[in-house]
Amino acid sequence: VVGEGEGRGGVARGEAVAVLTYDNLLLYPRQAGGSWARTLAHPPRWVVPLPLLPQGEALTWARDGEGLYATGEFSPAPILYITYPRGE
């Protein structure tokens, strides 16, 4: 999911991409003017371990770009909020 926040201190539109795996959230911030190909050719800058999320299916940025929401396929499925990390 490419960053879609409104840029009010969070992740601006097109600033980062997030990838949901079974166990982790992988975050790839893009350098200003950099290509997505170059960004994704390197390991993720942050790997965020996730609690158990059976069949993680959906991932979207929060409107303010400060974090992401993730959920799974089962019903009822939890909705996780993951804060976008800052710094090194």
Side-chain angles (χ1 to χ4, degrees):
V1 174
V2 175
E4 295 183 4
E6 295 178 359
R8 292 187 225 140
V11 174
R13 211 171 286 273
E15 181 183 306
V17 67
V19 177
L20 182 65
T21 71
Y22 290 117
D23 301 322
N24 299 300
L25 176 66
L26 311 177
L27 295 161
Y28 300 83
R30 181 171 65 160
Q31 292 184 348
S35 72
W36 285 116
R38 174 171 249 155
T39 298
L40 295 171
H42 299 282
R45 182 164 182 189
W46 295 290
V47 177
V48 180
L50 298 175
L52 180 63
L53 185 62
Q55 287 189 294
E57 285 271 321
L59 181 67
T60 189
W61 290 92
R63 183 176 211 161
D64 63 5
E66 291 290 338
L68 299 103
Y69 292 97
T71 191
E73 183 176 318
F74 289 102
S75 180
I79 297 175
L80 303 177
Y81 178 78
I82 304 113
T83 303
Y84 186 80
R86 295 287 177 193
E88 293 299 317

